[in-house]
């Protein structure tokens, strides 16, 4: 556990969920998975009773995030008379919330079904607790380009990489 | 009820409930009840066409070291407050009472001003010594021309409001001495206070018992409609609850009311209970008329109030008392944080500018170019946009160091850059003041050659980086990036990705389109006109941070363009602060 951090994920709500092309009626719940190996990497919300296809949970989940994880997956399920069915999934890159550290990130994602079909949207907030072993983007002052009329190309390329763990490559 | 139509009814019921609660379907209603309450009020104000930030401000005035103009006693001062209009004309807003025999008066009368974030509001204060022969004349009737002039001061309303103490001291100057001032200057102090009414909200939970059954095959589907008595005509609806299905003893979700909408706690409110009908013709189950104070009393005494229905018997109107009762389960009064609370607490709006230097603007040396600098001094479209947005925003930024960039041009012997510092410096994009932006812009025109294509991504990412760095330093700051452009962007997807990413940061983006190009794509970025923005990786913008306006007619002196651009800014600012439950400093 020493090289993992805790994620505090609040599953806020979802919008416009559909199950077999019909608006979802009730009993949607969300499972967050940060690791498939470990139970501490999975956590679920309770069932939403009356939100229908716009469920609202506002429930805080805690999962451990292994240092080797690149992303977490958020799965929307639905409990029906015949059992639990997977509605859709969103994959969240760790880079979307590892920086700035200890900041409450409000994030929304497009949900997709197993075959890639677009489904609704999920709204959540993520806070990474404790030390940040991901070290994401190293803090560095704006680099001074060689000539005057500074251009941001360099910084721009940097900007595209924004959020990708720099220290990450060394870890894998 | 068949399955096929239940969806529709659900939609209709949502719509009924939506009037009051607003945020239920919008997803990011946020963590606390408080957030819901605030969103409900924003929704309410918006539905009344009060989308921008309008807040009632009370000014209190005091002065010191006034000149003594009376021979046997001291001066008897009165202050008059004027709003200075665009054309320079003064319009009186209000005046204080006359304080007798004082050179350091503290006036009691408050002057009420309507604060508008998106407008520069210059105020002029004049102090007069009222001659004793007028002492029995009401202040309003006094002719200031007949009085002794003691001095004049002026400031902008936003200058007072952005001060930590919300008060500002100004020197009172006298014009008649042609600039020669006595050694000891008279001083006027202006204090600004937001009216309590616009900050107070009331949260109530209603429950009913023994409602009459109106449906044939099932029980009633009740909802409440709360209206305020109007001075003339029909009552004005303020709020609706959601529909409770098949419930004769319903408890609804909390109802949130704003004191400004109600007026006072003594104003009677009409609460009507209806049975929801999908046809839209809801039947009245019963009603009560109670003021907020009475509702609070019902809550404290745990008492119910019987509904009545107005009936006509012959020619007489009388009210038939029903068995059904209404209870107030919860009554909670609270003050909400306003935009001005954050500003006075020291939260800053940091202004940043990015200017389009692509070739489509035309050769800057030719008069038909959008970048043409008119020797007569008349500002071009870019200069006008900077000036008009800048003059509103500059007072919310205490150090007035504004980062300024250009994009789409080739700096001297270099490749095309999509984000270069306007001042030509290598490391520091910041310039000083609005004037600094203007001179950096003009010097950049001489130092770069216009090129293309039009890319927004690099500029937005650079601004987002600055915004995210402020979070690391734990400062309470909000950033406003103004992008002025003449044309269609070539990197729409990259721009969308950058905007989606930035929607999680304390940043808003204002885009001004100049020239006659087709700006359809900009409308896509401005999410309040369509769907939420989605990035190429499937991430969706959590809130709307882009505001776009085209500045079509450059030569007309239309100011509403910039006003509409800025009007949504306080709302975007508040949505950021509220979802994160960030409290004002101080």
């Amino acid at each position: 556990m020493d090289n993992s951090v805790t994620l505090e994920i609040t599953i806020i709500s979802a919008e416009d969920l559909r199950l077999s092309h019909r608006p979802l009626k009730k009993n949607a719940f969300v499972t967050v998975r940060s690791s498939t190996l470990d139970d501490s990497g999975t956590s679920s919300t309770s069932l939403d009773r009356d939100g229908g296809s716009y469920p609202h949970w506002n429930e805080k989940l805690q999962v451990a995030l292994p240092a080797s994880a690149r992303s977490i997956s958020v799965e929307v399920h639905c409990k029906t008379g015949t059992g639990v069915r997977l509605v859709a999934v969103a994959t969240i890159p760790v880079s979307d919330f590892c920086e700035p550290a200890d900041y409450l990130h409000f994030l929304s994602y497009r949900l997709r079904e197993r075959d890639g079909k677009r489904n609704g949207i999920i709204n959540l907030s993520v806070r990474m607790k404790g030390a940040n072993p991901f070290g994401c983007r190293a803090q560095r002052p704006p680099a001074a380009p060689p000539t005057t009329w500074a251009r941001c190309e360099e910084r721009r390329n940097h900007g595209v990489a924004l959020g990708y763990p720099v220290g990450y490559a060394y870890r894998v | 009820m068949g399955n096929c139509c239940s969806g529709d009814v659900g939609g209709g019921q949502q719509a009924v409930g939506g009037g009051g609660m607003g945020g239920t379907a919008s997803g990011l209603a946020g963590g606390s009840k408080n957030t819901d309450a605030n969103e409900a009020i924003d929704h309410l104000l918006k539905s009344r066409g009060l989308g921008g930030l309008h807040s009632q401000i009370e000014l209190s005035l005091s002065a010191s070291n006034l000149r003594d103009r009376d021979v046997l006693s001291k001066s008897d001062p009165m202050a008059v407050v004027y709003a200075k209009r665009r054309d320079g004309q003064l319009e009186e807003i209000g005046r204080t009472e006359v304080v007798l025999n004082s050179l350091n008066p503290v006036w009691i009368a408050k002057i009420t001003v309507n604060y508008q974030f998106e407008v520069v509001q210059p105020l002029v204060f004049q102090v007069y010594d009222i001659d004793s022969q007028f002492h029995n004349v009401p202040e309003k009737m006094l002719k200031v021309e007949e009085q002794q002039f003691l001095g004049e001061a002026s400031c902008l309303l936003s200058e007072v409001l952005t001060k930590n103490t919300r008060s500002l001291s100004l020197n009172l100057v006298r014009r008649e001495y042609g600039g020669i001032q006595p050694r000891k200057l008279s001083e006027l102090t202006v204090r600004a206070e937001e009216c309590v009414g616009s900050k107070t909200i009331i949260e109530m939970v209603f429950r009913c018992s023994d409602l009459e059954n109106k449906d044939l095959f099932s029980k009633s589907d009740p909802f409440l409609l709360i209206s305020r008595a109007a001075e003339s005509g029909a009552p004005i609806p303020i709020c609706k609850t959601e529909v409770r299905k098949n419930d004769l003893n319903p408890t609804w979700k909390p109802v949130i009311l704003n004191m400004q909408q109600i007026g006072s706690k003594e104003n009677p409110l009409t609460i009507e209970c209806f049975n929801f009908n999908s046809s839209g013709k809801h039947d009245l189950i019963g009603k009560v008329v109670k003021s907020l104070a009475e509702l609070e009393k019902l809550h404290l005494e745990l008492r119910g109030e019987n509904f009545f229905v107005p009936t006509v018997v012959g020619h007489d109107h009388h009210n038939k008392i029903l068995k059904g009762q209404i209870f107030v389960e919860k009554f909670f009064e609270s003050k909400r944080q306003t935009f001005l609370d954050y500003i006075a607490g020291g939260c800053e709006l940091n202004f940043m500018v990015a200017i389009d230097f692509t070739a489509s603007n035309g050769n800057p040396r030719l008069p038909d170019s959008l970048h043409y600098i008119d020797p007569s001094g008349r500002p071009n479209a870019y200069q006008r946009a900077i000036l008009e947005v800048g003059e509103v925003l500059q007072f919310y930024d205490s150090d007035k160091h504004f980062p300024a960039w250009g994009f789409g041009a080739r700096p001297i012997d270099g490749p095309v850059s999509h984000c270069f510092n306007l001042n030509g410096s290598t490391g520091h994009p910041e310039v000083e003041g609005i004037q600094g932006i203007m001179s950096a812009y003009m010097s950049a025109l001489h130092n770069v050659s216009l090129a293309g294509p039009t890319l927004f991504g690099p500029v937005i990412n650079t601004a987002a980086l600055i915004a995210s760095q402020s979070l690391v330093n734990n400062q309470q700051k909000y950033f406003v990036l103004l992008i002025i452009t003449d044309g269609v962007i070539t990197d729409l997807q990259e721009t969308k990705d950058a905007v989606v990413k930035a929607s999680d940061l304390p940043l808003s983006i204002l885009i001004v389109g100049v020239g006659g190009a087709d700006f359809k794509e900009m409308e896509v970025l401005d999410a309040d006109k369509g769907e939420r923005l989605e990035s190429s990786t499937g991430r969706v913008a959590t809130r709307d941070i882009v505001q776009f306006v085209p500045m079509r007619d450059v030569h007309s002196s239309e100011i509403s363009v910039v006003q509409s651009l800025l009007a949504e800014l306080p709302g975007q600012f508040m949505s950021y602060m509220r979802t994160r439950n960030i409290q004002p400093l101080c």
Side-chain angles (χ1 to χ4, degrees):
Chain A
M1 282 296 280
D2 19 303
N3 53 357
S4 74
V5 286
T6 307
L7 290 184
E8 245 180 43
I9 303 176
T10 305
I11 303 296
I12 301 168
S13 62
E15 299 168 31
D16 196 20
L17 294 179
R18 275 159 291 131
L19 190 59
S20 332
H21 307 288
R22 291 229 186 90
L24 205 77
K25 289 218 194 64
K26 60 177 178 181
N27 292 345
F29 69 96
V30 175
T31 303
V32 176
R33 261 181 243 282
S34 64
S35 155
T36 45
L37 307 168
D38 194 346
D39 271 355
S40 67
T42 306
S43 184
S44 298
T45 66
S46 52
L47 300 182
D48 170 80
R49 300 279 175 197
D50 37 40
S53 56
Y54 286 82
H56 191 92
W57 298 278
N58 210 15
E59 225 175 290
K60 196 183 271 183
L61 307 176
Q62 283 209 349
V63 292
L65 182 70
S68 60
R70 291 194 140 207
S71 62
I72 59 172
S73 78
V74 176
E75 304 164 357
V76 180
H77 298 271
C78 178
K79 190 167 178 276
T80 64
T82 53
V84 172
R85 289 181 63 184
L86 177 71
V87 179
V89 185
T91 305
I92 306 179
V94 170
S95 57
D96 280 3
F97 53 78
C98 72
E99 242 228 357
D102 209 26
Y103 174 65
L104 183 62
H105 292 269
F106 279 82
L107 305 168
S108 301
Y109 291 88
R110 170 66 62 191
L111 290 160
R112 290 195 181 264
E113 290 163 25
R114 272 279 141 80
D115 57 3
K117 216 177 282 159
R118 282 160 62 101
N119 207 304
I121 290 174
I122 182 127
N123 301 307
L124 47 97
S125 72
V126 185
R127 190 197 287 274
M128 203 181 227
K129 283 183 80 173
N132 176 8
F134 294 83
C136 288
R137 176 166 40 77
Q139 283 294 312
R140 61 161 167 170
T147 58
T148 51
W149 284 99
R151 40 204 83 89
C152 300
E153 251 75 32
E154 197 200 14
R155 221 179 311 164
R156 184 201 153 199
N157 295 335
H158 188 51
V160 172
L162 189 135
Y164 274 87
V166 164
Y168 191 73
Y170 305 103
R171 233 174 276 277
V172 180
Chain B
M1 194 186 287
N3 255 348
C4 55
C5 70
S6 65
D8 275 4
V9 174
Q13 291 173 349
Q14 281 270 347
V16 166
M21 290 302 293
T24 45
S26 68
L28 270 179
S32 62
K33 279 224 170 71
N34 200 16
T35 317
D36 286 344
N38 285 318
E39 281 199 4
I41 286 162
D42 287 347
H43 182 86
L44 191 73
L45 291 176
K46 221 168 251 177
S47 66
R48 273 152 208 282
L50 295 170
L53 178 86
H54 295 254
S55 193
Q56 296 261 307
I57 305 290
E58 283 182 345
L59 300 178
S60 359
L61 303 173
S62 60
S64 57
N65 294 324
L66 288 181
R67 241 168 20 118
D68 201 353
R69 298 295 295 255
D70 290 3
V71 186
L72 294 173
S73 64
K74 296 195 176 107
S75 296
D76 306 316
M78 174 184 84
V80 186
V81 184
Y82 300 91
K84 195 174 187 174
R85 290 202 306 234
R86 280 233 149 207
D87 57 10
Q89 291 270 1
L90 296 183
E91 194 179 325
E92 183 174 329
I93 311 175
R95 47 178 76 182
T96 65
E97 76 278 12
V98 179
V99 174
L100 295 181
N101 257 326
S102 175
L103 299 182
N104 301 298
V106 177
W107 288 286
I108 295 174
K110 306 254 187 299
I111 315 289
T112 309
V113 194
N114 204 10
Y115 164 73
Q116 278 175 283
F117 169 78
E118 66 274 22
V119 183
V120 182
Q121 294 174 282
L123 299 174
V124 175
F125 305 90
Q126 292 179 347
V127 182
Y128 293 91
D129 173 23
I130 308 302
D131 204 286
S132 52
Q133 70 182 76
F134 297 106
H135 282 179
N136 291 322
V137 180
E139 282 90 19
K140 289 230 159 32
M141 310 294 283
L142 289 170
K143 288 205 177 79
V144 292
E145 310 83 63
E146 295 169 357
Q147 312 300 331
Q148 298 248 41
F149 181 69
L150 293 178
E152 179 178 283
S154 55
C155 71
L156 301 180
L157 182 56
S158 54
E159 282 182 276
V160 188
L161 293 169
T162 49
K163 285 280 173 304
N164 211 312
T165 53
R166 289 212 179 160
S167 77
L168 184 67
S169 291
L170 305 160
N171 285 334
L172 278 173
V173 278
R174 290 199 308 277
R175 290 157 301 184
E176 67 258 53
Y177 288 104
I180 306 158
Q181 298 293 335
R183 270 185 304 165
K184 211 173 178 192
L185 282 174
S186 312
E187 212 172 58
L188 179 82
T189 301
V190 186
R191 274 189 64 81
E193 213 63 64
E194 225 174 326
C195 294
V196 192
S198 51
K199 294 167 80 167
T200 308
I201 51 172
I202 287 130
E203 186 179 338
M204 285 179 285
V205 174
F206 288 107
R207 176 173 69 85
C208 287
S209 65
D210 301 313
L211 292 179
E212 195 184 332
N213 201 3
K214 292 275 184 187
D215 283 359
L216 206 52
F217 298 110
S218 62
K219 294 189 183 121
S220 295
D221 306 323
F223 69 93
L224 297 177
L225 170 69
I226 302 172
S227 329
R228 164 172 68 90
E231 279 136 42
S232 58
I236 300 163
I238 309 175
C239 184
K240 284 173 187 169
T241 67
E242 81 279 11
V243 176
R244 303 301 304 188
K245 271 175 125 181
N246 280 328
D247 198 345
L248 299 182
N249 300 294
T251 303
W252 288 274
K253 286 183 187 165
V255 167
I256 293 122
L257 302 172
N258 180 349
M259 201 54 122
Q260 205 170 23
Q261 301 294 318
I262 302 165
S264 90
K265 269 188 128 170
E266 277 64 47
N267 270 7
L269 298 175
T270 307
I271 304 172
E272 287 162 300
C273 185
F274 287 97
N275 173 37
F276 180 87
N277 266 322
S278 45
S279 66
K281 282 187 177 165
H282 313 305
D283 349 271
L284 181 69
I285 298 177
K287 68 184 199 173
V288 293
V289 179
K290 287 277 164 217
S291 71
L292 271 183
E294 289 168 314
L295 289 172
E296 187 173 16
K297 213 170 149 202
L298 282 185
H299 167 67
L300 292 174
E301 295 170 359
L302 303 171
R303 214 156 41 80
E305 174 76 18
N306 286 71
F307 279 110
F308 65 83
V309 276
T311 45
V312 182
V313 182
H315 291 289
D316 285 345
H317 292 268
H318 84 251
N319 293 331
K320 184 182 160 205
I321 308 292
L322 302 173
K323 204 173 135 214
Q325 283 194 316
I326 185 163
F327 296 85
V328 186
E329 293 286 294
K330 183 180 170 193
F331 188 98
F332 183 67
E333 200 176 321
S334 62
K335 299 241 183 316
R336 67 175 178 144
Q337 305 294 356
T338 63
F339 174 72
L340 287 172
D341 288 329
Y342 287 90
I343 296 301
C347 182
E348 301 214 340
L349 298 184
N350 287 43
F351 181 42
M352 312 191 264
V353 184
I355 295 173
D356 184 337
F357 282 90
T358 52
S360 50
N361 284 287
N363 185 347
R365 287 183 187 82
L366 302 176
D368 61 347
S369 164
L370 290 163
H371 277 309
Y372 180 68
I373 304 288
D374 193 329
S376 74
R378 201 182 59 194
N380 66 29
Y382 285 89
Q383 291 171 310
R384 264 192 51 205
I386 297 168
L387 283 173
E388 288 179 10
V389 176
E391 71 176 353
V392 171
L393 289 179
Q394 58 175 333
F395 293 101
Y396 299 89
D397 189 337
S398 66
D399 65 4
K400 298 192 175 45
H401 287 177
F402 306 124
W405 301 286
F407 57 92
R410 193 177 290 120
I412 303 168
D413 55 74
V416 175
S417 170
H418 299 294
C419 180
F420 54 87
N421 294 341
L422 213 55
N423 57 9
S425 140
T426 49
H428 301 283
E430 294 191 343
V431 297
E432 214 156 305
I434 301 300
Q435 213 41 55
I437 303 175
M438 298 303 267
S439 50
Y441 163 65
M442 290 206 271
S443 79
L445 278 178
H446 295 293
N447 284 302
V448 299
S449 45
L450 308 195
T454 312
L455 306 184
F456 279 8
V459 164
I460 295 175
N461 282 330
T462 309
L465 191 64
I466 293 178
S468 84
Q469 271 162 1
S470 83
L471 294 170
V472 176
N473 302 331
N474 229 350
Q475 293 157 312
Q476 214 180 67
K477 281 189 173 182
Y478 194 88
F479 295 81
V480 182
L481 170 66
L482 170 68
I483 302 177
I484 315 168
T485 182
D486 83 313
V488 182
I489 46 175
T490 19
D491 64 338
L492 185 61
Q493 191 56 56
E494 201 189 342
T495 302
K496 275 189 191 171
D497 291 1
V499 169
V500 168
K501 203 162 210 167
S503 71
D504 185 35
L505 294 169
L507 176 70
S508 283
I509 301 169
L510 310 174
I511 304 173
V512 174
V514 295
D518 179 16
F519 292 114
K520 260 203 196 97
E521 278 173 344
M522 305 290 177
E523 308 275 356
V524 176
L525 296 175
D526 191 347
D528 53 40
K529 282 157 191 137
E531 282 194 358
R532 286 164 76 178
L533 281 186
E534 193 168 328
S535 81
S536 47
T537 61
R539 189 167 157 187
V540 180
T542 44
R543 59 195 188 100
D544 175 21
I545 63 164
V546 178
Q547 193 56 29
F548 166 76
V549 285
M551 210 178 204
R552 285 252 179 260
D553 191 3
V554 186
H555 302 295
S556 85
S557 62
E558 214 186 312
I559 51 162
S560 61
V561 171
V562 162
Q563 286 182 15
S564 69
L565 187 68
L566 289 168
E568 277 192 40
L569 206 54
Q572 293 182 358
F573 174 94
M574 291 306 284
S575 82
Y576 177 84
M577 296 296 172
R578 280 172 187 159
T579 45
R580 286 175 170 69
N581 216 357
I582 299 171
Q583 297 300 316
L585 302 169
C586 83

